Amino acid sequence: MEGELALLGKYIGAGLATIGLGGAGIGVGHIAGNFLAGALRNPSAAPSQMANLFVGIAFAEALGIFSFLVALLLMFAV
Amino acid sequence: MATEPILEEAPILEEAAGQCVNAHGGAIGMPQLCPEWIPNQVFWLLVTLVVMFLILSRIALPRIGAVLAERKGTITNDLAAAEELKQKAQAAEKAYNDALAMARTEASKIVAAAKADIQKDLDAATARADVEISAKTAESEKKIAEIRAGALEAVDAVAKDTAEALVAHLGGKVDPAAVSAAVSARLKG
Amino acid sequence: MATGTEEHAAEGGLAIHPMDQFIVKPLFGDGPVHWYTPTNVTLWMGIAVVVLLGIFVLATRHRGIIPSRLQSVAELFYGFIYNMVEDVTGHEGAKFFPYIMTLFMFIFLANMLGLLPMSFTVTSHIAVTAVLALMVFLTVTLVGFYRKGLGFLSMFWVSSAPLVLRPVLAVIEVISYFVRPLSHSIRLGGNLMAGHAVIKVFAGFAGAMGIASVVPIIAIAGIYGLELLVAAVQAYVFTILTCVYLRDAVGEAHH
Protein backbone atom coordinates (compact mmCIF):
# COMPACT_ATOMS: atom_id res chain seq x y z
CA MET A 1 0.00 0.00 0.00
CA GLU A 2 2.73 2.36 0.97
CA GLY A 3 4.73 1.42 -2.12
CA GLU A 4 1.74 2.06 -4.32
CA LEU A 5 1.27 5.42 -2.68
CA ALA A 6 4.90 6.22 -3.45
CA LEU A 7 4.35 5.10 -7.05
CA LEU A 8 1.32 7.34 -7.28
CA GLY A 9 3.33 10.24 -5.95
CA LYS A 10 6.10 9.59 -8.42
CA TYR A 11 3.76 9.59 -11.38
CA ILE A 12 1.95 12.69 -10.24
CA GLY A 13 5.25 14.40 -9.60
CA ALA A 14 6.58 13.43 -13.00
CA GLY A 15 3.45 14.75 -14.65
CA LEU A 16 3.73 18.01 -12.78
CA ALA A 17 7.39 18.33 -13.72
CA THR A 18 6.57 18.15 -17.40
CA ILE A 19 4.55 21.35 -17.04
CA GLY A 20 7.92 23.09 -16.97
CA LEU A 21 8.40 22.11 -20.59
CA GLY A 22 5.49 24.35 -21.45
CA GLY A 23 7.50 27.29 -20.15
CA ALA A 24 10.36 26.30 -22.40
CA GLY A 25 7.90 26.12 -25.27
CA ILE A 26 6.72 29.66 -24.52
CA GLY A 27 10.32 30.84 -24.41
CA VAL A 28 11.31 29.17 -27.65
CA GLY A 29 8.21 30.47 -29.39
CA HIS A 30 8.94 33.95 -28.10
CA ILE A 31 12.47 33.88 -29.47
CA ALA A 32 11.43 32.46 -32.83
CA GLY A 33 8.53 34.92 -33.14
CA ASN A 34 10.67 37.92 -32.31
CA PHE A 35 13.33 36.72 -34.68
CA LEU A 36 10.75 36.45 -37.44
CA ALA A 37 9.38 39.92 -36.67
CA GLY A 38 12.87 41.36 -36.78
CA ALA A 39 13.73 39.41 -39.90
CA LEU A 40 10.68 40.74 -41.71
CA ARG A 41 11.65 44.31 -40.83
CA ASN A 42 15.20 43.85 -41.98
CA PRO A 43 15.45 40.70 -44.09
CA SER A 44 19.01 41.40 -45.21
CA ALA A 45 20.33 41.13 -41.65
CA ALA A 46 18.46 37.91 -40.87
CA PRO A 47 20.89 35.27 -42.21
CA SER A 48 23.77 36.65 -40.15
CA GLN A 49 21.74 36.26 -36.98
CA MET A 50 20.75 32.62 -37.52
CA ALA A 51 23.49 31.42 -35.18
CA ASN A 52 22.27 33.72 -32.42
CA LEU A 53 18.75 32.46 -33.00
CA PHE A 54 19.79 28.87 -32.46
CA VAL A 55 21.91 29.69 -29.45
CA GLY A 56 19.01 31.59 -27.91
CA ILE A 57 16.61 28.76 -28.58
CA ALA A 58 19.09 26.30 -27.10
CA PHE A 59 19.45 28.34 -23.91
CA ALA A 60 15.71 28.73 -23.52
CA GLU A 61 15.24 25.05 -24.17
CA ALA A 62 17.87 24.08 -21.60
CA LEU A 63 15.67 25.24 -18.75
CA GLY A 64 12.79 23.15 -20.04
CA ILE A 65 15.13 20.21 -20.31
CA PHE A 66 15.78 20.42 -16.58
CA SER A 67 12.13 19.82 -15.85
CA PHE A 68 12.15 16.99 -18.37
CA LEU A 69 15.12 15.57 -16.53
CA VAL A 70 13.30 15.86 -13.22
CA ALA A 71 10.35 14.01 -14.72
CA LEU A 72 12.60 11.24 -16.01
CA LEU A 73 14.39 10.94 -12.69
CA LEU A 74 11.09 10.71 -10.85
CA MET A 75 9.80 8.08 -13.24
CA PHE A 76 12.80 5.84 -13.49
CA ALA A 77 15.51 6.67 -11.02
CA VAL A 78 13.91 7.60 -7.70
CA MET B 1 14.47 2.12 -4.44
CA ALA B 2 13.46 0.82 -7.82
CA THR B 3 16.72 -1.01 -8.21
CA GLU B 4 16.26 -3.15 -5.15
CA PRO B 5 13.46 -5.35 -6.41
CA ILE B 6 15.31 -5.79 -9.71
CA LEU B 7 18.41 -7.00 -7.94
CA GLU B 8 16.35 -9.44 -5.96
CA GLU B 9 14.68 -10.79 -9.06
CA ALA B 10 17.77 -11.02 -11.22
CA PRO B 11 18.83 -14.54 -10.15
CA ILE B 12 15.35 -15.87 -10.82
CA LEU B 13 15.39 -14.70 -14.43
CA GLU B 14 17.39 -16.30 -17.21
CA GLU B 15 21.13 -15.80 -17.29
CA ALA B 16 20.87 -13.58 -20.33
CA ALA B 17 18.63 -11.11 -18.65
CA GLY B 18 20.69 -8.53 -16.88
CA GLN B 19 19.88 -5.80 -14.49
CA CYS B 20 17.96 -3.77 -17.03
CA VAL B 21 16.29 -6.33 -19.27
CA ASN B 22 13.45 -8.60 -18.23
CA ALA B 23 12.91 -12.19 -19.19
CA HIS B 24 11.05 -11.25 -22.37
CA GLY B 25 13.86 -9.05 -23.62
CA GLY B 26 11.95 -5.90 -22.78
CA ALA B 27 13.43 -2.90 -21.09
CA ILE B 28 13.09 -2.38 -17.36
CA GLY B 29 12.78 1.31 -16.68
CA MET B 30 14.88 3.56 -18.83
CA PRO B 31 17.71 1.84 -20.73
CA GLN B 32 19.51 5.18 -20.75
CA LEU B 33 19.96 4.99 -16.99
CA CYS B 34 21.15 1.39 -16.85
CA PRO B 35 24.55 1.50 -15.15
CA GLU B 36 25.49 -1.91 -16.50
CA TRP B 37 25.92 -0.64 -20.07
CA ILE B 38 27.62 2.65 -19.42
CA PRO B 39 31.25 1.42 -19.49
CA ASN B 40 30.60 -0.32 -22.79
CA GLN B 41 29.08 2.79 -24.35
CA VAL B 42 31.79 5.09 -23.07
CA PHE B 43 34.55 2.76 -24.25
CA TRP B 44 33.18 2.38 -27.77
CA LEU B 45 32.33 6.08 -27.95
CA LEU B 46 35.91 7.01 -27.13
CA VAL B 47 37.22 4.52 -29.68
CA THR B 48 34.89 5.91 -32.33
CA LEU B 49 35.75 9.52 -31.55
CA VAL B 50 39.47 8.82 -31.70
CA VAL B 51 39.08 6.99 -35.02
CA MET B 52 36.91 9.77 -36.44
CA PHE B 53 39.30 12.44 -35.19
CA LEU B 54 42.25 10.68 -36.80
CA ILE B 55 40.40 10.19 -40.09
CA LEU B 56 39.31 13.81 -40.19
CA SER B 57 42.41 15.54 -38.91
CA ARG B 58 44.99 13.38 -40.66
CA ILE B 59 43.36 12.63 -44.00
CA ALA B 60 40.08 14.31 -44.79
CA LEU B 61 40.35 17.88 -43.57
CA PRO B 62 43.83 18.66 -44.96
CA ARG B 63 42.77 17.12 -48.23
CA ILE B 64 39.55 19.10 -48.51
CA GLY B 65 41.32 22.23 -47.34
CA ALA B 66 43.95 21.74 -50.06
CA VAL B 67 41.28 21.13 -52.69
CA LEU B 68 39.37 24.25 -51.66
CA ALA B 69 42.55 26.34 -51.63
CA GLU B 70 43.55 24.97 -55.01
CA ARG B 71 40.12 25.70 -56.41
CA LYS B 72 40.25 29.20 -55.01
CA GLY B 73 43.69 29.67 -56.55
CA THR B 74 42.51 28.34 -59.89
CA ILE B 75 39.50 30.60 -59.86
CA THR B 76 41.64 33.61 -58.94
CA ASN B 77 44.13 32.77 -61.68
CA ASP B 78 41.38 32.26 -64.22
CA LEU B 79 39.79 35.53 -63.25
CA ALA B 80 43.14 37.29 -63.56
CA ALA B 81 43.72 35.69 -66.96
CA ALA B 82 40.24 36.68 -68.04
CA GLU B 83 40.90 40.23 -66.86
CA GLU B 84 44.16 40.28 -68.82
CA LEU B 85 42.47 38.96 -71.93
CA LYS B 86 39.74 41.53 -71.52
CA GLN B 87 42.31 44.28 -71.31
CA LYS B 88 44.07 42.91 -74.37
CA ALA B 89 40.80 42.84 -76.24
CA GLN B 90 40.10 46.39 -75.18
CA ALA B 91 43.56 47.48 -76.32
CA ALA B 92 43.04 45.76 -79.67
CA GLU B 93 39.69 47.45 -80.05
CA LYS B 94 41.25 50.79 -79.22
CA ALA B 95 44.01 50.22 -81.78
CA TYR B 96 41.45 49.27 -84.36
CA ASN B 97 39.40 52.36 -83.60
CA ASP B 98 42.51 54.54 -83.77
CA ALA B 99 43.51 53.06 -87.09
CA LEU B 100 40.01 53.55 -88.37
CA ALA B 101 39.94 57.16 -87.23
CA MET B 102 43.36 57.80 -88.79
CA ALA B 103 42.28 56.25 -92.04
CA ARG B 104 39.16 58.38 -92.03
CA THR B 105 41.19 61.55 -91.47
CA GLU B 106 43.61 60.56 -94.20
CA ALA B 107 40.78 59.86 -96.57
CA SER B 108 39.06 63.12 -95.85
CA LYS B 109 42.38 64.93 -96.26
CA ILE B 110 42.88 63.26 -99.62
CA VAL B 111 39.38 64.13 -100.62
CA ALA B 112 39.92 67.74 -99.59
CA ALA B 113 43.23 67.88 -101.46
CA ALA B 114 41.67 66.41 -104.55
CA LYS B 115 38.81 68.85 -104.29
CA ALA B 116 41.28 71.73 -103.90
CA ASP B 117 43.28 70.52 -106.94
CA ILE B 118 40.22 70.22 -109.04
CA GLN B 119 39.07 73.63 -107.91
CA LYS B 120 42.45 75.08 -108.76
CA ASP B 121 42.45 73.50 -112.22
CA LEU B 122 38.94 74.65 -112.70
CA ASP B 123 39.79 78.16 -111.59
CA ALA B 124 42.83 78.24 -113.83
CA ALA B 125 40.85 76.98 -116.76
CA THR B 126 38.10 79.47 -116.08
CA ALA B 127 40.61 82.28 -115.83
CA ARG B 128 42.30 81.22 -119.04
CA ALA B 129 38.97 80.98 -120.75
CA ASP B 130 38.01 84.40 -119.45
CA VAL B 131 41.28 85.88 -120.69
CA GLU B 132 40.84 84.27 -124.07
CA ILE B 133 37.26 85.38 -124.26
CA SER B 134 38.11 88.95 -123.32
CA ALA B 135 41.04 88.92 -125.75
CA LYS B 136 38.81 87.68 -128.47
CA THR B 137 36.19 90.24 -127.54
CA ALA B 138 38.74 93.03 -127.62
CA GLU B 139 40.04 91.84 -130.97
CA SER B 140 36.56 91.65 -132.32
CA GLU B 141 35.80 95.10 -131.06
CA LYS B 142 39.00 96.38 -132.62
CA LYS B 143 38.10 94.74 -135.86
CA ILE B 144 34.64 96.16 -135.68
CA ALA B 145 36.11 99.59 -134.98
CA GLU B 146 38.54 99.15 -137.88
CA ILE B 147 35.77 98.05 -140.11
CA ARG B 148 33.75 100.96 -138.97
CA ALA B 149 36.58 103.36 -139.47
CA GLY B 150 37.26 101.82 -142.85
CA ALA B 151 33.66 102.21 -143.75
CA LEU B 152 33.63 105.83 -142.66
CA GLU B 153 36.77 106.52 -144.72
CA ALA B 154 35.23 104.75 -147.60
CA VAL B 155 32.11 106.88 -147.16
CA ASP B 156 34.34 109.94 -147.05
CA ALA B 157 36.21 108.98 -150.20
CA VAL B 158 33.06 107.99 -151.99
CA ALA B 159 31.43 111.24 -150.97
CA LYS B 160 34.41 113.27 -152.18
CA ASP B 161 34.58 111.33 -155.40
CA THR B 162 30.88 111.68 -155.86
CA ALA B 163 31.04 115.36 -155.02
CA GLU B 164 33.94 115.88 -157.46
CA ALA B 165 32.14 113.92 -160.09
CA LEU B 166 28.98 115.96 -159.47
CA VAL B 167 30.86 119.21 -159.56
CA ALA B 168 32.68 118.16 -162.74
CA HIS B 169 29.52 117.00 -164.32
CA LEU B 170 27.76 120.20 -163.51
CA GLY B 171 30.55 121.94 -165.37
CA GLY B 172 32.30 123.46 -162.61
CA LYS B 173 35.90 123.54 -162.05
CA VAL B 174 36.94 120.90 -159.73
CA ASP B 175 39.05 122.00 -156.89
CA PRO B 176 39.73 118.78 -155.03
CA ALA B 177 40.88 120.49 -151.86
CA ALA B 178 37.80 122.63 -151.62
CA VAL B 179 35.52 119.67 -152.34
CA SER B 180 37.22 117.56 -149.82
CA ALA B 181 36.94 120.25 -147.17
CA ALA B 182 33.34 120.80 -147.97
CA VAL B 183 32.52 117.12 -147.85
CA SER B 184 34.35 116.68 -144.60
CA ALA B 185 32.49 119.57 -143.13
CA ARG B 186 29.19 118.15 -144.22
CA LEU B 187 30.03 114.70 -143.00
CA LYS B 188 30.93 115.96 -139.62
CA GLY B 189 27.91 118.11 -139.47
CA MET C 1 8.24 -0.04 -11.00
CA ALA C 2 10.08 -2.91 -12.60
CA THR C 3 7.44 -5.45 -11.73
CA GLY C 4 4.76 -3.17 -13.12
CA THR C 5 6.44 -3.05 -16.50
CA GLU C 6 6.84 -6.78 -16.58
CA GLU C 7 3.26 -7.46 -15.75
CA HIS C 8 2.17 -5.03 -18.41
CA ALA C 9 4.33 -6.74 -20.99
CA ALA C 10 3.00 -10.12 -20.05
CA GLU C 11 -0.59 -8.98 -20.39
CA GLY C 12 -0.27 -8.63 -24.17
CA GLY C 13 -3.04 -6.30 -25.25
CA LEU C 14 -1.72 -2.93 -26.38
CA ALA C 15 1.91 -3.95 -26.47
CA ILE C 16 3.88 -0.74 -26.70
CA HIS C 17 7.48 -0.91 -25.63
CA PRO C 18 8.83 2.47 -26.65
CA MET C 19 11.97 1.97 -24.57
CA ASP C 20 12.98 -1.41 -25.97
CA GLN C 21 14.70 0.21 -28.93
CA PHE C 22 17.29 1.68 -26.59
CA ILE C 23 18.45 -1.63 -25.16
CA VAL C 24 22.15 -2.36 -25.55
CA LYS C 25 22.66 -5.93 -26.76
CA PRO C 26 25.82 -7.89 -27.38
CA LEU C 27 26.32 -8.52 -31.08
CA PHE C 28 27.35 -12.13 -30.61
CA GLY C 29 25.59 -14.39 -28.17
CA ASP C 30 23.69 -13.39 -25.08
CA GLY C 31 26.48 -12.90 -22.59
CA PRO C 32 26.77 -10.05 -20.18
CA VAL C 33 27.80 -6.64 -21.46
CA HIS C 34 31.38 -5.99 -20.39
CA TRP C 35 33.11 -2.75 -21.25
CA TYR C 36 34.87 -4.38 -24.22
CA THR C 37 31.93 -6.45 -25.53
CA PRO C 38 31.03 -5.60 -29.14
CA THR C 39 27.41 -4.48 -28.89
CA ASN C 40 24.91 -2.74 -31.11
CA VAL C 41 26.53 0.47 -29.87
CA THR C 42 29.74 -0.72 -31.51
CA LEU C 43 27.89 -1.70 -34.66
CA TRP C 44 26.17 1.63 -35.21
CA MET C 45 29.19 3.70 -34.25
CA GLY C 46 31.16 1.55 -36.67
CA ILE C 47 28.62 2.22 -39.41
CA ALA C 48 28.95 5.94 -38.68
CA VAL C 49 32.74 5.62 -39.08
CA VAL C 50 32.24 3.77 -42.38
CA VAL C 51 29.89 6.47 -43.68
CA LEU C 52 32.39 9.11 -42.58
CA LEU C 53 35.13 7.26 -44.45
CA GLY C 54 32.90 7.06 -47.51
CA ILE C 55 32.08 10.75 -47.57
CA PHE C 56 35.36 12.22 -46.45
CA VAL C 57 38.01 9.83 -47.70
CA LEU C 58 36.62 7.75 -50.53
CA ALA C 59 34.67 10.56 -52.18
CA THR C 60 37.53 13.03 -51.97
CA ARG C 61 40.26 10.67 -53.20
CA HIS C 62 40.38 12.31 -56.65
CA ARG C 63 40.87 15.76 -55.10
CA GLY C 64 38.87 17.09 -58.01
CA ILE C 65 38.94 20.78 -58.74
CA ILE C 66 35.48 20.13 -60.12
CA PRO C 67 33.97 18.06 -57.29
CA SER C 68 31.92 14.93 -57.66
CA ARG C 69 28.57 14.86 -55.88
CA LEU C 70 29.81 13.21 -52.69
CA GLN C 71 32.92 15.35 -52.66
CA SER C 72 30.80 18.47 -52.75
CA VAL C 73 28.83 17.08 -49.81
CA ALA C 74 32.09 16.73 -47.87
CA GLU C 75 33.09 20.25 -48.91
CA LEU C 76 29.70 21.52 -47.82
CA PHE C 77 30.20 20.08 -44.33
CA TYR C 78 33.74 21.43 -44.22
CA GLY C 79 32.72 24.93 -45.24
CA PHE C 80 29.68 24.98 -42.97
CA ILE C 81 31.56 23.97 -39.83
CA TYR C 82 34.65 25.96 -40.64
CA ASN C 83 32.65 29.15 -41.12
CA MET C 84 30.73 28.47 -37.91
CA VAL C 85 33.91 27.95 -35.90
CA GLU C 86 35.56 31.02 -37.35
CA ASP C 87 32.47 33.23 -36.98
CA VAL C 88 31.74 32.26 -33.40
CA THR C 89 35.11 31.63 -31.81
CA GLY C 90 37.17 33.94 -33.96
CA HIS C 91 40.45 33.24 -35.66
CA GLU C 92 42.02 31.77 -32.53
CA GLY C 93 39.33 29.14 -32.28
CA ALA C 94 40.03 27.83 -35.78
CA LYS C 95 42.69 25.58 -34.23
CA PHE C 96 39.87 23.58 -32.69
CA PHE C 97 38.24 23.02 -36.04
CA PRO C 98 39.14 19.28 -36.38
CA TYR C 99 37.85 18.63 -32.88
CA ILE C 100 34.57 20.42 -33.48
CA MET C 101 34.24 18.81 -36.89
CA THR C 102 34.64 15.39 -35.24
CA LEU C 103 31.91 16.20 -32.72
CA PHE C 104 29.55 17.48 -35.40
CA MET C 105 30.08 14.62 -37.81
CA PHE C 106 29.72 12.01 -35.07
CA ILE C 107 26.48 13.47 -33.76
CA PHE C 108 25.08 14.18 -37.20
CA LEU C 109 25.83 10.73 -38.56
CA ALA C 110 24.64 8.98 -35.39
CA ASN C 111 21.39 10.97 -35.42
CA MET C 112 20.76 10.28 -39.09
CA LEU C 113 21.66 6.61 -38.92
CA GLY C 114 19.41 6.32 -35.88
CA LEU C 115 16.46 7.27 -38.05
CA LEU C 116 16.86 4.16 -40.19
CA PRO C 117 14.26 1.55 -39.27
CA MET C 118 15.52 -1.14 -36.88
CA SER C 119 18.59 0.90 -36.12
CA PHE C 120 20.04 1.88 -32.77
CA THR C 121 20.52 5.53 -31.90
CA VAL C 122 23.72 5.90 -29.93
CA THR C 123 23.15 9.62 -29.32
CA SER C 124 19.88 8.87 -27.54
CA HIS C 125 21.87 7.51 -24.61
CA ILE C 126 22.70 10.00 -21.91
CA ALA C 127 25.92 8.13 -21.24
CA VAL C 128 27.14 8.91 -24.74
CA THR C 129 26.04 12.53 -24.85
CA ALA C 130 27.30 13.10 -21.31
CA VAL C 131 30.77 11.98 -22.34
CA LEU C 132 30.63 14.32 -25.35
CA ALA C 133 29.47 17.23 -23.20
CA LEU C 134 32.02 16.52 -20.47
CA MET C 135 34.76 16.47 -23.06
CA VAL C 136 33.65 19.90 -24.23
CA PHE C 137 33.41 21.15 -20.66
CA LEU C 138 36.88 19.89 -19.76
CA THR C 139 38.35 21.24 -22.98
CA VAL C 140 36.87 24.66 -22.39
CA THR C 141 37.97 24.79 -18.77
CA LEU C 142 41.50 23.53 -19.39
CA VAL C 143 42.05 25.67 -22.46
CA GLY C 144 40.63 28.69 -20.66
CA PHE C 145 42.98 28.31 -17.69
CA TYR C 146 45.90 27.46 -19.95
CA ARG C 147 45.46 30.51 -22.15
CA LYS C 148 44.25 33.07 -19.65
CA GLY C 149 45.44 31.78 -16.31
CA LEU C 150 43.37 33.07 -13.45
CA GLY C 151 42.03 35.74 -15.79
CA PHE C 152 39.68 33.06 -17.04
CA LEU C 153 37.75 33.47 -13.78
CA SER C 154 36.95 37.07 -14.76
CA MET C 155 34.19 35.79 -17.02
CA PHE C 156 32.17 35.08 -13.86
CA TRP C 157 32.59 38.66 -12.68
CA VAL C 158 30.17 40.62 -14.86
CA SER C 159 31.91 43.98 -14.99
CA SER C 160 29.13 45.64 -16.94
CA ALA C 161 26.60 45.08 -14.11
CA PRO C 162 26.17 47.40 -11.10
CA LEU C 163 28.65 46.63 -8.33
CA VAL C 164 25.95 45.54 -5.90
CA LEU C 165 24.63 42.93 -8.27
CA ARG C 166 27.99 41.51 -9.25
CA PRO C 167 28.40 38.94 -6.44
CA VAL C 168 24.90 37.63 -7.05
CA LEU C 169 25.52 37.45 -10.77
CA ALA C 170 28.84 35.74 -10.12
CA VAL C 171 27.07 32.99 -8.20
CA ILE C 172 24.53 32.59 -10.98
CA GLU C 173 27.27 32.57 -13.62
CA VAL C 174 29.23 29.90 -11.75
CA ILE C 175 26.14 27.73 -11.38
CA SER C 176 25.24 28.13 -15.03
CA TYR C 177 28.82 27.32 -15.98
CA PHE C 178 28.67 24.01 -14.14
CA VAL C 179 25.19 23.24 -15.42
CA ARG C 180 26.38 23.61 -19.00
CA PRO C 181 27.50 20.00 -19.52
CA LEU C 182 24.22 18.78 -18.06
CA SER C 183 21.99 20.82 -20.35
CA HIS C 184 24.37 20.29 -23.22
CA SER C 185 24.11 16.51 -22.97
CA ILE C 186 20.47 16.16 -21.95
CA ARG C 187 19.31 18.44 -24.75
CA LEU C 188 20.78 16.14 -27.35
CA GLY C 189 19.95 12.83 -25.66
CA GLY C 190 16.50 13.94 -24.55
CA ASN C 191 15.48 15.25 -27.95
CA LEU C 192 16.59 12.09 -29.70
CA MET C 193 15.10 9.76 -27.11
CA ALA C 194 11.77 11.59 -27.00
CA GLY C 195 11.43 11.64 -30.78
CA HIS C 196 12.21 7.96 -31.18
CA ALA C 197 9.95 6.99 -28.30
CA VAL C 198 7.07 8.98 -29.81
CA ILE C 199 7.50 7.25 -33.15
CA LYS C 200 7.50 3.93 -31.37
CA VAL C 201 4.35 4.79 -29.40
CA PHE C 202 2.55 5.70 -32.62
CA ALA C 203 3.78 2.49 -34.20
CA GLY C 204 2.25 0.63 -31.26
CA PHE C 205 -1.08 2.35 -31.92
CA ALA C 206 -0.87 1.38 -35.57
CA GLY C 207 -0.44 -2.26 -34.61
CA ALA C 208 -3.58 -2.28 -32.49
CA MET C 209 -6.00 -0.20 -34.53
CA GLY C 210 -6.69 -2.41 -37.53
CA ILE C 211 -7.89 -0.47 -40.58
CA ALA C 212 -7.84 2.83 -38.70
CA SER C 213 -4.10 2.48 -38.32
CA VAL C 214 -3.75 4.68 -41.39
CA VAL C 215 -4.04 7.64 -39.06
CA PRO C 216 -1.05 6.81 -36.83
CA ILE C 217 0.96 5.79 -39.88
CA ILE C 218 0.40 9.22 -41.45
CA ALA C 219 1.31 10.75 -38.11
CA ILE C 220 4.50 8.67 -38.04
CA ALA C 221 5.41 10.00 -41.49
CA GLY C 222 4.96 13.56 -40.23
CA ILE C 223 6.91 12.97 -37.04
CA TYR C 224 9.61 11.27 -39.03
CA GLY C 225 10.07 14.42 -41.09
CA LEU C 226 10.23 16.44 -37.91
CA GLU C 227 12.78 14.02 -36.50
CA LEU C 228 14.97 14.47 -39.57
CA LEU C 229 14.93 18.18 -38.84
CA VAL C 230 15.60 17.58 -35.16
CA ALA C 231 18.51 15.26 -35.95
CA ALA C 232 20.19 17.94 -38.04
CA VAL C 233 19.31 20.86 -35.78
CA GLN C 234 20.46 19.13 -32.61
CA ALA C 235 23.82 18.32 -34.18
CA TYR C 236 24.06 21.96 -35.21
CA VAL C 237 23.02 23.23 -31.79
CA PHE C 238 25.46 20.98 -29.97
CA THR C 239 28.25 22.17 -32.22
CA ILE C 240 27.45 25.84 -32.08
CA LEU C 241 27.14 25.72 -28.30
CA THR C 242 30.55 24.09 -28.21
CA CYS C 243 31.83 27.03 -30.26
CA VAL C 244 30.14 29.52 -27.95
CA TYR C 245 31.67 27.88 -24.89
CA LEU C 246 35.06 27.78 -26.58
CA ARG C 247 34.82 31.50 -27.27
CA ASP C 248 34.89 32.07 -23.51
CA ALA C 249 38.15 30.17 -23.36
CA VAL C 250 40.01 31.47 -26.40
CA GLY C 251 38.31 34.69 -27.43
CA GLU C 252 38.58 38.12 -25.91
CA ALA C 253 36.24 38.73 -22.98
CA HIS C 254 32.83 39.63 -24.31
CA HIS C 255 31.07 40.35 -21.04
Side-chain angles (χ1 to χ4, degrees), chain B residues 125-149:
Chain B
T126 313
R128 227 182 301 136
D130 280 354
V131 170
E132 252 168 54
I133 288 166
S134 57
K136 271 192 182 153
T137 312
E139 205 176 323
S140 306
E141 274 171 3
K142 213 168 100 193
K143 267 185 188 160
I144 290 168
E146 266 170 31
I147 290 168
R148 216 192 219 156

Side-chain angles (χ1 to χ4, degrees), chain C residues 238-249:
Chain C
F238 191 97
T239 320
I240 201 164
L241 283 178
T242 305
C243 293
V244 170
Y245 297 159
L246 260 180
R247 182 175 59 189
D248 289 339

Side-chain angles (χ1 to χ4, degrees), chain B residues 6 9 25-28 31-32 37 40-45 48-49 53 60-61 63-65 67-68 70-71, chain C residues 3 6 19-20 22-23 34-37 39 42 45 57 60-61 64-65 67 75 102 106 124-125 127-128 193:
Chain B
I6 301 167
E9 278 168 41
I28 300 172
Q32 276 84 353
W37 298 330
N40 182 268
Q41 290 170 326
V42 172
F43 170 68
W44 288 112
L45 171 68
T48 309
L49 283 182
F53 183 77
L61 298 185
R63 191 187 280 176
I64 295 174
V67 167
L68 289 181
E70 197 182 335
R71 181 175 310 147
Chain C
T3 44
E6 261 173 68
M19 289 304 179
D20 285 6
F22 303 121
I23 292 174
H34 299 296
W35 60 269
Y36 52 82
T37 315
T39 55
T42 321
M45 285 183 183
V57 177
T60 60
R61 68 189 183 283
I65 292 292
E75 285 169 9
T102 308
F106 173 76
S124 69
H125 274 262
V128 172
M193 184 190 72

Side-chain angles (χ1 to χ4, degrees), chain C residues 24 43 98 100 113 127 142 145 165-166 244 255:
Chain C
V24 176
L43 174 68
I100 291 169
L113 289 171
L142 292 179
F145 277 114
L165 281 178
R166 281 185 208 172
V244 170
H255 278 299

Side-chain angles (χ1 to χ4, degrees), chain A residues 48 51, chain C residues 80-91 243 247:
Chain A
S48 63
Chain C
F80 179 63
I81 301 299
Y82 192 84
N83 289 339
M84 186 206 291
V85 173
E86 205 163 38
D87 285 352
V88 178
T89 63
H91 198 65
C243 293
R247 182 175 59 189

Side-chain angles (χ1 to χ4, degrees), chain A residues 62, chain C residues 129 132-133 136-137 179-189 237-239 241-242 245:
Chain C
T129 58
L132 293 171
V136 172
F137 179 76
V179 161
R180 275 177 184 182
L182 190 67
S183 67
H184 206 182
S185 59
I186 301 213
R187 177 181 302 116
L188 177 60
V237 164
F238 191 97
T239 320
L241 283 178
T242 305
Y245 297 159

Side-chain angles (χ1 to χ4, degrees), chain C residues 160-171:
Chain C
S160 59
L163 193 61
V164 191
L165 281 178
R166 281 185 208 172
V168 182
L169 283 177
V171 172

